[in-house]
Amino acid sequence: MPLYKLSYFEERGLGEVSRQLFHLSGTPFWDNRIPFDHWPRIKEYTPFGQVPILCVDGEELPQSFAIARYLANQFGFAGKSAFESAWVDALADQHKDYLNEIKPFLMVANGFAEGDKEKMMNEMAKPSIRKYFTILEKQAKDNGSNGYFVGNSITWIDLVVSDHMGVIETLVPNAFDGFPLVEAVRQKITSEPKLKEWIEKRPET
Amino acid sequence: MTIPIVMNSGEEGSAETPTVQNSKLESRRRRGIKGEKESPFVPVNASTTAMPSYKLNYFDARGLAEVSRSMFILSDTPFEDNRIPKDQWPALKEKTPFGTLPVLEIDGKPLPQSLAIARYLAKQFGFYGNTPFESAWVDALADQMKDFLAEMRPYFAVAMGMVEGDKEKMKNEVALPAIKKHFSLLEKVAKENGANGHFVGSSLTYVDLLVSDFIYSVDSMIPGFINEYPAVAAVRTKVVNTPKLKEWIEKRPKTAT
């Protein structure tokens, strides 16, 4: 088995999906958490000046979704056919587009930028959440309301969405009203024994 | 005119310019990883299975669809190149999975999102690298290009007259920094891959196609920008001189983006 090291900040963010893939598959890895104040000094030594980075037997790989997809393929969480795998990718890219839309709100809500949080929540965040979660709800339904977004087993998009919901619900009240099937995916994911265990013991961020 | 290439923008990555250091991005990744599982998806063997029918739906533009069109052309795979006139789009929008284009139909089953489509076709036709780790690097570069597109968006909007603004100012404050940031990385990757005309491995991958087409678009607005990045320019040269693609480029509909 290769030696894995995942480097990211001391938060869930873009690294959490990959951490969860290691835990779900029972694969040992070095969960390298970089304190924010160390980052400026380390940055220039990374391939793209960004984290997360996955190191596999000393070989580095950047970009959070490239990492997640690679690990998902290695451990069996990328769908059971090429078409399923492509749909997982499509949802993940839609997730990224959505994150791009609400980024200004998240920056203000988390104190990284100045702005009217309430106004941005109502004018930017809520409509974007509604638009994206409508897509997710439909996808969960079209997939047979079985607790997964694609196919009949966990894929990495289930993990991405579930974790993100944990972020949004602290910032936007009742964000997921009207999306019961998406909630059902989150429930199923977070009650998966290995994940449940990890979620309980991981650092609070 | 809508700018299709500025739809479906992704976001990831630092807003500052990273310092490009010698971070040991050598050709080690070409040697592969011991114990790495083979990719589970073997390309469809056309001689033993019926070829699916492919229909690629997009605007009449290169944009986010050209990389996929190129792969059909290069693999000699028939496909319906459905170019949707702008005035028909509003009525069609809600019939698409995500309200966006491109959408690829495979035997009638829709698949949205340009890079998911490109990756699916790359796997089918062999433009996805030779090991899972190489494939992951192709994906990482493609995502980096998506970030580049997202950063260039405000410049494109002004440069193409869709939004009011000072084109020269936008070029200096938006476009040139974005180009420097992302193309410095691409140059480094191309060099460390052996300056062999590919970004990853030793054969054509979908990110070679993606970058080449973006260069074409940006060059029309900022001519000669690629000259500062010779290893990247070499990838583009190799791509556009691939015989089947060369022919396609000559005869395809001419669009600004």
Side-chain angles (χ1 to χ4, degrees):
Chain A
M1 178 178 295
L3 279 174
Y4 294 106
K5 171 174 148 190
L6 180 70
S7 301
Y8 190 57
F9 297 124
E10 286 171 320
E11 61 173 16
R12 304 196 320 273
L14 297 169
E16 186 64 13
V17 54
S18 293
R19 291 187 186 119
Q20 290 186 0
L21 287 166
F22 283 116
H23 286 285
L24 263 178
S25 62
T27 309
F29 76 112
W30 175 0
D31 186 0
N32 181 32
R33 290 168 182 257
I34 301 168
F36 286 119
D37 58 354
H38 288 193
W39 175 236
R41 284 174 281 150
I42 306 179
K43 190 176 150 103
E44 62 188 76
Y45 297 104
T46 61
F48 285 1
Q50 301 164 7
V51 281
I53 298 167
L54 178 69
C55 205
V56 187
D57 276 350
E59 302 272 342
E60 290 180 314
L61 174 70
Q63 283 285 352
S64 61
F65 280 5
I67 293 168
R69 184 180 301 107
Y70 175 78
L71 295 173
N73 275 312
Q74 292 295 303
F75 305 147
F77 296 105
K80 300 286 185 256
S81 69
F83 191 72
E84 275 190 11
S85 190
W87 259 93
V88 174
D89 291 343
L91 289 163
D93 275 354
Q94 195 63 22
H95 184 88
K96 258 206 191 166
D97 290 349
Y98 149 77
L99 277 187
N100 199 28
E101 281 176 21
I102 64 165
K103 189 181 175 197
F105 163 71
L106 289 175
M107 296 282 279
V108 169
N110 289 317
F112 292 120
E114 296 275 326
D116 185 335
K117 184 178 157 183
E118 197 70 21
K119 184 171 193 268
M120 291 180 90
M121 180 174 79
N122 291 320
E123 293 181 10
M124 171 191 291
K126 280 183 174 172
S128 287
I129 292 168
R130 192 129 298 268
K131 181 174 118 188
Y132 174 53
F133 276 74
T134 300
I135 289 172
L136 290 176
E137 185 75 7
K138 178 170 191 293
Q139 178 61 29
K141 185 167 177 211
D142 290 350
N143 194 48
S145 306
N146 60 0
Y148 308 110
F149 286 117
V150 178
N152 52 17
S153 58
I154 296 179
T155 64
W156 61 279
I157 188 62
D158 299 331
L159 303 176
V160 167
V161 173
S162 299
D163 189 68
H164 177 70
M165 289 169 78
V167 169
I168 290 296
E169 68 188 356
T170 64
L171 300 173
V172 181
N174 308 316
F176 313 124
D177 282 0
F179 304 116
L181 296 179
V182 179
E183 273 288 8
V185 173
R186 174 163 61 154
Q187 286 312 310
K188 192 158 182 126
I189 293 303
T190 52
S191 52
E192 182 70 31
K194 288 188 177 133
L195 259 187
K196 191 161 187 250
E197 195 192 322
W198 162 242
I199 289 169
E200 273 157 26
K201 73 175 191 190
R202 72 185 171 193
E204 286 280 323
T205 54
Chain B
M1 179 175 93
T2 350
I3 306 176
I5 51 172
V6 304
M7 293 170 63
N8 293 349
S9 61
E11 194 280 334
E12 202 168 322
S14 151
E16 310 132 55
T17 309
T19 316
V20 174
Q21 295 274 336
N22 181 10
S23 67
K24 299 183 192 149
L25 246 193
E26 291 151 6
S27 57
R28 286 181 303 167
R29 61 177 178 269
R30 286 187 294 179
R31 298 202 300 265
I33 314 278
K34 248 204 285 193
E36 181 177 69
K37 272 176 57 188
E38 285 298 309
S39 170
F41 305 124
V42 178
V44 171
N45 183 341
S47 67
T48 57
T49 46
M51 179 162 314
S53 74
Y54 293 108
K55 179 175 173 184
L56 184 63
N57 302 285
Y58 193 55
F59 299 109
D60 184 18
R62 289 175 287 109
L64 298 168
E66 192 64 12
V67 57
S68 292
R69 289 188 187 115
S70 302
M71 285 190 279
F72 284 119
I73 302 290
L74 282 168
S75 63
D76 279 325
T77 306
F79 76 110
E80 187 183 337
D81 186 9
N82 184 31
R83 292 167 184 256
I84 296 169
K86 277 175 62 244
D87 56 356
Q88 286 180 23
W89 171 233
L92 285 173
K93 189 176 157 87
E94 58 184 46
K95 300 193 176 134
T96 62
F98 295 170
T100 57
L101 292 177
V103 171
L104 176 68
E105 291 174 65
I106 305 152
D107 283 339
K109 293 190 296 178
L111 174 68
Q113 281 287 354
S114 59
L115 290 189
I117 293 168
R119 187 176 303 108
Y120 176 85
L121 295 174
K123 280 183 208 171
Q124 298 298 308
F125 303 143
F127 298 114
Y128 197 35
N130 291 314
T131 68
F133 201 74
E134 276 191 7
S135 302
W137 259 94
V138 175
D139 291 340
L141 292 168
D143 273 353
Q144 200 70 19
M145 278 292 96
K146 241 193 167 189
D147 291 348
F148 168 66
L149 260 197
E151 289 168 30
M152 289 289 276
R153 204 209 292 170
Y155 167 71
F156 286 139
V158 171
M160 303 197 60
M162 285 188 29
V163 162
E164 292 276 326
D166 182 335
K167 188 171 160 184
E168 198 61 24
K169 184 170 188 270
M170 292 301 276
K171 176 176 134 183
N172 292 325
E173 293 182 11
V174 173
L176 294 181
I179 289 169
K180 188 175 164 71
K181 172 179 158 190
H182 292 280
F183 278 75
S184 301
L185 288 174
L186 288 177
E187 183 71 8
K188 182 163 175 273
V189 170
K191 278 199 183 121
E192 288 176 351
N193 194 48
N196 62 358
H198 301 293
F199 288 113
V200 179
S202 49
S203 58
L204 188 72
T205 65
Y206 79 87
V207 75
D208 295 342
L209 299 170
L210 194 70
V211 173
S212 297
D213 196 64
F214 286 172
I215 291 172
Y216 196 97
S217 296
V218 176
D219 189 69
S220 68
M221 298 172 215
I222 305 176
F225 84 96
I226 200 59
N227 298 333
E228 275 187 70
Y229 308 102
V232 180
V235 174
R236 191 263 300 256
T237 303
K238 192 160 182 142
V239 163
V240 301
N241 285 312
T242 311
K244 289 171 192 164
L245 212 48
K246 195 170 176 178
E247 193 191 323
W248 164 247
I249 290 169
E250 275 157 26
K251 70 175 193 189
R252 71 185 172 192
K254 301 284 175 280
T255 55
T257 57

